[in-house]
Amino acid sequence: MKFAIVTDSTSDMNKELREKYNVDYVAMNYVLDGKEYPASLDWESHSPKELYDLMRAGKRISTTQVPRESFYEKFSSYLKEGLDVIYISCSSALSGSYNLSTVVAKELKEEYPNNTVYCVDSLISSLGQATLVIMADNMRNEGKDAKETAEYLIANRLKINQFGTCDSLEYLSRAGRIKASKAFFGNLFGVKPIILSDIIGQNFAYKKTKGALNSKIAIADDIAGAVINPEDQILYISHADAITSAEQLKELILERAQFKGVHIDYIAPIVGSCVGPGTIIAFCYGKEVTIKGE
């Protein structure tokens, strides 16, 4: 292994994916009823149904960034082995984890001068962030070093396209995770926002549809319009306890673009607490994102 790859709780990478691509992660935390829980990608504190049902029942869940000591311990464990590290973070527009990681990396450079922690701001989250992580592993397997890989990820991160929708903008608005006014949608019954990750890594509700089916059709059209060489890549779909909607979205997308394969999984606790139950999001590698939220 030429270098270690580390991500965080917002990557939504389950154990199978992490083992397949030899990836480690640092956990953020979520707070429920005054108690703090590690945001495990293996759902060790609450199952997906438990967590999303609590949100449906009106429970408020807040989140924290990666603790400093977690960065220090995780990065140090690899630097001690003589390895460089690439940390691929949640978008810095959504979390303070990236900025904190750069501080810790600079401190550790003095302690381990022969190795480096390269911090990459993914400008996205969920399985879009995971797509960059997987790209890093592919480059590692091709013999690329950490510096070259990190530079490539930074140069190509805006080619990861995200299109999704949620049942309500309430969760994103409450968490300060969206760049659009709720008034834009008028809170009309049945209006569904279509949300992308813009050029600064901020979620932006850039258009609206009427009804759940039309929102899925819009996402499928957007993915088909953005993707490059779908036959060579995996379509990633994440969902907040909405597997039926995710499967419907998959079929609509595959009618428009023939991907090599499809991976569907839960949105993990950190992203899930911000987007709310019922959310579905699709990700692909394609045309560079050029939209900036108003």
Side-chain angles (χ1 to χ4, degrees):
M1 187 167 66
K2 296 178 70 70
F3 56 87
I5 301 172
V6 178
T7 186
D8 56 42
S9 296
T10 61
S11 68
D12 294 349
M13 295 185 76
N14 63 24
K15 187 174 183 180
E16 181 182 355
L17 280 182
R18 299 196 312 273
E19 290 181 346
K20 180 178 180 180
Y21 296 107
N22 196 11
V23 175
D24 204 347
Y25 81 104
V26 281
M28 299 166 176
N29 297 292
Y30 63 95
V31 181
L32 172 64
D33 290 335
K35 183 177 180 180
E36 194 167 283
Y37 299 89
S40 167
L41 292 176
D42 301 321
W43 297 92
E44 293 168 344
S45 300
H46 297 89
S47 71
K49 181 166 179 53
E50 287 172 338
L51 191 72
Y52 288 118
D53 277 351
L54 285 167
M55 296 178 71
R56 291 183 179 105
K59 291 287 186 180
R60 292 202 173 202
I61 299 173
S62 59
T63 63
T64 73
Q65 65 185 38
V66 178
R68 183 192 180 283
E69 56 271 20
S70 296
F71 277 132
Y72 188 89
E73 292 172 5
K74 187 68 68 178
F75 293 164
S76 295
S77 68
Y78 291 108
L79 296 171
K80 287 175 182 176
E81 297 177 12
L83 292 172
D84 288 337
V85 177
I86 294 181
Y87 166 57
I88 302 171
S89 77
C90 176
S91 170
S92 60
L94 306 177
S95 169
S97 295
Y98 168 75
N99 291 330
L100 180 57
S101 74
T102 62
V103 173
V104 175
K106 185 176 180 180
E107 293 173 356
L108 286 170
K109 186 64 176 177
E110 297 180 5
E111 191 172 346
Y112 300 94
N114 295 324
N115 295 96
T116 303
V117 177
Y118 297 91
C119 300
V120 176
D121 179 356
S122 73
L123 296 180
I124 203 164
S125 63
S126 190
L127 293 178
Q129 183 180 344
T131 302
L132 280 180
V133 173
I134 293 167
M135 287 170 61
D137 179 62
N138 290 338
M139 294 187 69
R140 179 171 60 184
N141 292 335
E142 292 169 1
K144 303 295 192 296
D145 63 21
K147 183 175 186 295
E148 184 178 7
T149 300
E151 290 174 347
Y152 181 86
L153 296 179
I154 291 169
N156 289 274
R157 59 192 171 184
L158 286 177
K159 294 178 182 177
I160 308 300
N161 287 260
Q162 165 196 301
F163 300 101
T165 190
C166 53
D167 284 348
S168 170
L169 286 176
E170 175 189 355
Y171 296 98
L172 281 163
S173 178
R174 183 194 303 163
R177 298 295 197 272
I178 190 163
K179 205 173 185 64
S181 170
K182 292 178 71 175
F184 175 73
F185 299 100
N187 288 325
L188 297 175
F189 179 76
V191 170
K192 303 276 284 185
I194 306 301
I195 301 168
L196 57 73
S197 184
D198 72 5
I199 61 173
I200 61 170
Q202 176 71 52
N203 288 315
F204 175 53
Y206 77 110
K207 66 181 178 182
K208 58 184 176 179
T209 59
K210 189 69 182 293
L213 176 58
N214 285 333
S215 70
K216 297 183 187 75
I217 291 172
I219 293 169
D221 288 342
D222 285 340
I223 287 285
V227 68
I228 296 174
N229 299 327
E231 66 278 3
D232 296 329
Q233 61 174 294
I234 303 296
L235 167 67
Y236 290 96
I237 299 175
S238 58
H239 68 92
D241 199 26
I243 184 61
T244 300
S245 289
E247 291 286 353
Q248 291 171 343
L249 177 60
K250 177 190 79 171
E251 296 303 323
L252 288 167
I253 293 173
L254 294 182
E255 289 174 2
R256 293 159 171 77
Q258 294 301 309
F259 283 80
K260 181 172 67 174
V262 182
H263 176 88
I264 300 176
D265 209 347
Y266 284 101
I267 299 174
I270 295 295
V271 178
S273 66
C274 295
V275 299
T279 297
I280 51 173
I281 318 171
F283 303 91
C284 71
Y285 181 85
K287 299 173 184 176
E288 186 164 321
V289 176
T290 59
I291 294 175
K292 182 177 180 181
E294 298 172 358

